[in-house]
Amino acid sequence: MTRIGVVFRLLLLGLCSLVLVPLQMLALRLNWSSMLHVVPMWFHKALLAIFNVRVIEQGTPPTDAPTIVLSNHVSWLDIPVIGSLHPLSFIAKSEVEGWPVVGLFAKLQRTVFIDRQRRKATAEVNDALAHRLVKGEAIVLFAEGTTSDGNRLLPFRSSLVGAAQTALMHDSVERVYLQPLAVSYIRRNGLPVTRRDRPFIAWYGDMDLGPHLKMFIRGVPLDVVVTWGEPIPFNGNRKQATASAEAEVRRALKAA
């Protein structure tokens, strides 16, 4: 990719942002529910198309039923990949809210932020999530609690799944679902992803974000498989339900 090509891609992304960011701000201010959920999808689709990321979707995404999506987490790129497929919101650590550019986009996506340093944070976030679930929304929880290297799946945490129990206490909610979601980066530049490629895709620990952004901006073709598992009706046991979702994600990753 030449320097001119990189600049052209960045200009395209800038133009998309100039159109879609004000539109989403207006939708939030005026509570345009129809636009509120689809504008972020348009942005994510444009970003992936501009930078040569192809998403291969398998399975059936969430319906209008209240759903907590439990996904593995490999990279910051997971968010536009998942966000391009279905109207949904994410859960993120509170630090993200203050990040330049990223924080703004997260808020426009109606992200639910959690402050892990506060003891009452989990209960407060569960209440906020339950409020969204009652409205029939789908919320993505990266259940590992952090990014991994993409070679293994970390144990899923069940604390925020408690929001499902809170939502069920509402008279209008008969059932809440947990839906497993597996994200697997399978090809880079047309070739199968190997351990050598992982540092260019996965972002975890104290790794520098630079190599990831450099790869992304250059538009190296990247293929991602996103596999929706069968929705699991929440039975009131968050640890058991979370373990079932983790097992399903693990199977899907092996298959991919």
Side-chain angles (χ1 to χ4, degrees):
M1 172 63 62
T2 63
R3 181 174 298 180
I4 294 177
V6 169
V7 172
F8 179 69
R9 289 174 189 270
L10 292 175
L11 285 175
L12 276 180
L13 181 62
L15 288 174
C16 288
S17 301
L18 285 175
V19 173
L20 296 178
V21 168
L23 181 59
Q24 181 67 357
M25 286 179 171
L26 189 61
L28 285 168
R29 179 179 292 273
L30 300 179
N31 197 26
W32 290 345
S33 57
S34 58
M35 297 296 292
L36 196 63
H37 298 94
V38 298
V39 173
M41 288 181 61
W42 294 345
F43 178 81
H44 292 314
K45 286 179 181 293
L47 185 148
L48 297 179
I50 291 170
F51 292 102
N52 223 348
V53 179
R54 186 176 68 154
V55 181
I56 304 163
E57 186 177 18
Q58 300 176 343
T60 304
T63 62
D64 293 333
T67 303
I68 299 178
V69 177
L70 299 183
S71 175
N72 65 307
H73 197 14
V74 178
S75 170
W76 59 272
L77 188 54
D78 298 343
I79 293 172
V81 165
I82 300 171
S84 70
L85 300 176
H86 189 75
L88 41 75
S89 300
F90 294 87
I91 300 171
K93 59 185 180 180
S94 58
E95 295 95 313
V96 173
E97 188 173 9
W99 290 359
V101 183
V102 175
L104 171 63
F105 284 115
K107 285 183 278 191
L108 291 176
Q109 182 92 35
R110 300 171 66 243
T111 296
V112 178
F113 297 101
I114 178 170
D115 184 354
R116 296 174 181 172
Q117 304 301 318
R118 295 177 57 242
R119 292 183 178 181
K120 295 182 179 180
T122 298
E124 292 174 357
V125 171
N126 277 341
D127 287 340
L129 293 178
H131 181 70
R132 298 278 192 93
L133 292 172
V134 167
K135 294 181 178 180
E137 296 188 26
I139 310 288
V140 177
L141 170 62
F142 292 116
E144 294 168 286
T146 185
T147 51
S148 70
D149 59 8
N151 291 315
R152 58 198 176 99
L153 184 67
L154 302 176
F156 278 13
R157 300 180 180 182
S158 64
S159 57
L160 293 180
V161 176
Q165 185 65 56
T166 305
L168 284 173
M169 296 171 63
H170 198 279
D171 293 338
S172 65
V173 178
E174 295 183 0
R175 183 165 291 181
V176 176
Y177 293 92
L178 304 184
Q179 184 155 5
L181 177 63
V183 180
S184 181
Y185 296 84
I186 61 169
R187 283 186 294 272
R188 180 171 179 261
N189 210 16
L191 299 175
V193 169
T194 64
R195 287 183 178 273
R196 183 181 301 176
D197 296 304
R198 288 295 179 188
F200 295 94
I201 300 172
W203 182 39
Y204 58 97
D206 57 354
M207 291 177 62
D208 187 3
L209 185 59
H212 307 277
L213 294 179
K214 185 177 181 180
M215 177 275 294
F216 189 68
I217 292 173
R218 287 183 174 179
V220 174
L222 191 63
D223 291 342
V224 191
V225 174
V226 174
T227 305
W228 299 97
E230 288 297 320
I232 302 169
F234 182 67
N235 60 3
N237 188 325
R238 60 182 176 84
K239 290 187 177 181
Q240 182 184 72
T242 302
S244 297
E246 179 186 335
E248 183 64 28
V249 171
R250 195 177 300 277
R251 283 193 292 269
L253 292 175
K254 288 182 179 179

